[in-house]
Amino acid sequence: MGSPIPDAHKPDMPAEQITLTYYDGTSRTVYDTGIERPYPDGKLIVSRTDLDGVLTHVNDAFVEISG
């Protein structure tokens, strides 16, 4: 099993604090600023999940867009 993902840094702008709990029981805090990011031209996001819907792989574009 991998290491837990650290909590996100609290942004300087107003944001909703959300606690995500993962399939393996670990959790982390993230913040939703409500800011939408434009989808960059020429990028293709790729992700793969297991049969339970848990992400097992994402590409760099996915990480960049999702933050």
Side-chain angles (χ1 to χ4, degrees):
M1 176 102 25
S3 299
I5 301 172
D7 288 342
H9 296 286
K10 185 174 182 178
D12 294 332
M13 62 187 71
E16 177 184 1
Q17 180 176 322
I18 301 167
T19 300
L20 301 176
T21 302
Y22 297 99
Y23 183 77
D24 66 359
T26 61
S27 62
R28 72 182 290 232
T29 300
V30 298
Y31 298 90
D32 180 4
T33 60
I35 297 173
E36 293 185 16
R37 294 184 172 101
Y39 190 85
D41 288 337
K43 297 271 183 157
L44 178 66
I45 60 170
V46 177
S47 64
R48 179 176 37 219
T49 65
D50 63 15
L51 294 175
D52 293 318
V54 177
L55 287 169
T56 59
H57 170 81
V58 299
N59 68 345
D60 290 340
F62 185 103
V63 174
E64 177 185 337
I65 292 168
S66 67

